[in-house]
Tab-separated table of all heavy atoms in Angstrom:
chain	number	residue	atom	x	y	z
A	186	MET	N	-2.532	20.633	-19.486
A	186	MET	CA	-3.267	21.161	-20.635
A	186	MET	C	-4.592	20.424	-20.762
A	186	MET	O	-4.759	19.309	-20.261
A	186	MET	CB	-2.464	21.029	-21.930
A	186	MET	CG	-1.416	22.121	-22.129
A	186	MET	SD	-2.078	23.814	-22.208
A	186	MET	CE	-2.821	23.820	-23.846
A	187	HIS	N	-5.527	21.045	-21.463
A	187	HIS	CA	-6.878	20.510	-21.596
A	187	HIS	C	-6.900	19.159	-22.302
A	187	HIS	O	-7.666	18.265	-21.919
A	187	HIS	CB	-7.755	21.501	-22.351
A	187	HIS	CG	-7.268	21.801	-23.738
A	187	HIS	ND1	-6.120	22.530	-23.981
A	187	HIS	CD2	-7.742	21.456	-24.969
A	187	HIS	CE1	-5.923	22.632	-25.285
A	187	HIS	NE2	-6.876	21.983	-25.903
A	188	ASP	N	-6.066	18.989	-23.350
A	188	ASP	CA	-6.079	17.717	-24.068
A	188	ASP	C	-5.525	16.590	-23.215
A	188	ASP	O	-5.980	15.441	-23.303
A	188	ASP	CB	-5.332	17.826	-25.403
A	188	ASP	CG	-3.935	18.428	-25.280
A	188	ASP	OD1	-3.491	18.731	-24.155
A	188	ASP	OD2	-3.287	18.601	-26.328
A	189	TRP	N	-4.547	16.902	-22.382
A	189	TRP	CA	-4.002	15.893	-21.471
A	189	TRP	C	-5.066	15.466	-20.468
A	189	TRP	O	-5.225	14.274	-20.156
A	189	TRP	CB	-2.783	16.461	-20.749
A	189	TRP	CG	-1.858	15.432	-20.177
A	189	TRP	CD1	-2.165	14.141	-19.838
A	189	TRP	CD2	-0.467	15.595	-19.874
A	189	TRP	NE1	-1.057	13.499	-19.326
A	189	TRP	CE2	-0.001	14.374	-19.342
A	189	TRP	CE3	0.418	16.666	-19.983
A	189	TRP	CZ2	1.315	14.198	-18.929
A	189	TRP	CZ3	1.730	16.486	-19.580
A	189	TRP	CH2	2.171	15.267	-19.058
A	190	TRP	N	-5.830	16.429	-19.967
A	190	TRP	CA	-6.861	16.133	-18.972
A	190	TRP	C	-7.920	15.183	-19.529
A	190	TRP	O	-8.280	14.191	-18.884
A	190	TRP	CB	-7.499	17.426	-18.482
A	190	TRP	CG	-8.464	17.227	-17.362
A	190	TRP	CD1	-9.828	17.256	-17.432
A	190	TRP	CD2	-8.146	16.948	-15.992
A	190	TRP	NE1	-10.379	17.024	-16.186
A	190	TRP	CE2	-9.359	16.832	-15.286
A	190	TRP	CE3	-6.940	16.801	-15.302
A	190	TRP	CZ2	-9.414	16.568	-13.931
A	190	TRP	CZ3	-6.996	16.533	-13.933
A	190	TRP	CH2	-8.218	16.423	-13.258
A	191	ILE	N	-8.414	15.459	-20.733
A	191	ILE	CA	-9.456	14.575	-21.273
A	191	ILE	C	-8.878	13.243	-21.726
A	191	ILE	O	-9.601	12.240	-21.762
A	191	ILE	CB	-10.268	15.255	-22.398
A	191	ILE	CG1	-9.396	15.602	-23.594
A	191	ILE	CG2	-10.988	16.471	-21.870
A	191	ILE	CD1	-10.212	16.096	-24.787
A	192	SER	N	-7.591	13.196	-22.043
A	192	SER	CA	-6.954	11.911	-22.336
A	192	SER	C	-6.914	11.048	-21.083
A	192	SER	O	-7.084	9.816	-21.156
A	192	SER	CB	-5.539	12.127	-22.881
A	192	SER	OG	-5.555	12.755	-24.140
A	193	LEU	N	-6.683	11.669	-19.928
A	193	LEU	CA	-6.731	10.926	-18.670
A	193	LEU	C	-8.124	10.356	-18.432
A	193	LEU	O	-8.279	9.204	-18.003
A	193	LEU	CB	-6.336	11.844	-17.504
A	193	LEU	CG	-4.863	12.227	-17.394
A	193	LEU	CD1	-4.677	13.315	-16.327
A	193	LEU	CD2	-3.996	11.019	-17.066
A	194	ILE	N	-9.146	11.157	-18.713
A	194	ILE	CA	-10.524	10.688	-18.536
A	194	ILE	C	-10.804	9.493	-19.442
A	194	ILE	O	-11.357	8.471	-19.016
A	194	ILE	CB	-11.523	11.826	-18.818
A	194	ILE	CG1	-11.365	12.940	-17.769
A	194	ILE	CG2	-12.955	11.300	-18.820
A	194	ILE	CD1	-12.215	14.168	-18.040
A	195	ALA	N	-10.407	9.627	-20.710
A	195	ALA	CA	-10.644	8.538	-21.657
A	195	ALA	C	-9.882	7.282	-21.260
A	195	ALA	O	-10.404	6.155	-21.360
A	195	ALA	CB	-10.256	8.973	-23.068
A	196	ALA	N	-8.637	7.448	-20.806
A	196	ALA	CA	-7.829	6.301	-20.415
A	196	ALA	C	-8.399	5.598	-19.195
A	196	ALA	O	-8.367	4.367	-19.091
A	196	ALA	CB	-6.397	6.738	-20.147
A	197	ALA	N	-8.927	6.366	-18.254
A	197	ALA	CA	-9.422	5.787	-17.008
A	197	ALA	C	-10.792	5.145	-17.152
A	197	ALA	O	-11.067	4.106	-16.534
A	197	ALA	CB	-9.468	6.866	-15.926
A	198	PHE	N	-11.650	5.744	-17.952
A	198	PHE	CA	-13.055	5.309	-17.976
A	198	PHE	C	-13.535	4.785	-19.328
A	198	PHE	O	-14.669	4.321	-19.427
A	198	PHE	CB	-13.955	6.477	-17.550
A	198	PHE	CG	-13.596	7.044	-16.210
A	198	PHE	CD1	-13.091	8.333	-16.095
A	198	PHE	CD2	-13.734	6.285	-15.059
A	198	PHE	CE1	-12.750	8.864	-14.860
A	198	PHE	CE2	-13.397	6.801	-13.813
A	198	PHE	CZ	-12.901	8.091	-13.717
A	199	GLY	N	-12.692	4.878	-20.347
A	199	GLY	CA	-13.138	4.451	-21.665
A	199	GLY	C	-11.987	4.027	-22.547
A	199	GLY	O	-11.134	3.245	-22.120
A	200	HIS	N	-11.934	4.600	-23.739
A	200	HIS	CA	-10.962	4.146	-24.728
A	200	HIS	C	-10.442	5.318	-25.555
A	200	HIS	O	-11.181	6.263	-25.856
A	200	HIS	CB	-11.586	3.102	-25.651
A	200	HIS	CG	-12.091	1.904	-24.911
A	200	HIS	ND1	-11.269	0.859	-24.524
A	200	HIS	CD2	-13.334	1.601	-24.461
A	200	HIS	CE1	-11.995	-0.046	-23.883
A	200	HIS	NE2	-13.245	0.378	-23.826
A	201	ILE	N	-9.176	5.234	-25.946
A	201	ILE	CA	-8.539	6.196	-26.833
A	201	ILE	C	-8.241	5.494	-28.148
A	201	ILE	O	-7.555	4.470	-28.168
A	201	ILE	CB	-7.235	6.746	-26.229
A	201	ILE	CG1	-7.524	7.477	-24.910
A	201	ILE	CG2	-6.537	7.681	-27.220
A	201	ILE	CD1	-6.263	7.921	-24.179
A	202	GLY	N	-8.758	6.037	-29.236
A	202	GLY	CA	-8.482	5.505	-30.561
A	202	GLY	C	-7.728	6.530	-31.382
A	202	GLY	O	-7.697	7.715	-31.049
A	203	HIS	N	-7.113	6.069	-32.468
A	203	HIS	CA	-6.345	7.007	-33.283
A	203	HIS	C	-6.473	6.686	-34.760
A	203	HIS	O	-6.908	5.596	-35.147
A	203	HIS	CB	-4.864	6.991	-32.882
A	203	HIS	CG	-4.145	5.729	-33.243
A	203	HIS	ND1	-4.081	4.648	-32.392
A	203	HIS	CD2	-3.471	5.368	-34.370
A	203	HIS	CE1	-3.401	3.672	-32.969
A	203	HIS	NE2	-3.010	4.078	-34.171
A	204	ILE	N	-6.098	7.668	-35.554
A	204	ILE	CA	-6.001	7.534	-37.005
A	204	ILE	C	-4.568	7.882	-37.373
A	204	ILE	O	-4.044	8.922	-36.950
A	204	ILE	CB	-6.988	8.484	-37.704
A	204	ILE	CG1	-8.432	8.149	-37.318
A	204	ILE	CG2	-6.809	8.440	-39.227
A	204	ILE	CD1	-9.438	9.187	-37.744
A	205	ASP	N	-3.930	7.023	-38.140
A	205	ASP	CA	-2.533	7.266	-38.505
A	205	ASP	C	-2.372	8.427	-39.484
A	205	ASP	O	-1.310	9.036	-39.554
A	205	ASP	CB	-1.916	6.004	-39.119
A	205	ASP	CG	-1.734	4.899	-38.086
A	205	ASP	OD1	-1.584	5.232	-36.896
A	205	ASP	OD2	-1.757	3.715	-38.461
A	206	ASP	N	-3.417	8.733	-40.242
A	206	ASP	CA	-3.332	9.793	-41.244
A	206	ASP	C	-3.258	11.170	-40.587
A	206	ASP	O	-3.755	11.391	-39.478
A	206	ASP	CB	-4.546	9.760	-42.170
A	206	ASP	CG	-4.622	8.483	-42.982
A	206	ASP	OD1	-3.557	7.864	-43.193
A	206	ASP	OD2	-5.731	8.098	-43.386
A	207	CYS	N	-2.643	12.103	-41.302
A	207	CYS	CA	-2.602	13.504	-40.877
A	207	CYS	C	-3.884	14.202	-41.338
A	207	CYS	O	-4.271	14.087	-42.503
A	207	CYS	CB	-1.392	14.223	-41.472
A	207	CYS	SG	0.202	13.548	-40.939
Side-chain angles (χ1 to χ4, degrees):
M186 279 299 286
H187 60 290
D188 51 3
W189 201 337
W190 186 256
I191 63 172
S192 294
L193 287 171
I194 295 174
F198 304 113
H200 301 278
I201 299 174
H203 69 270
I204 299 169
D205 291 333
D206 296 335
C207 297

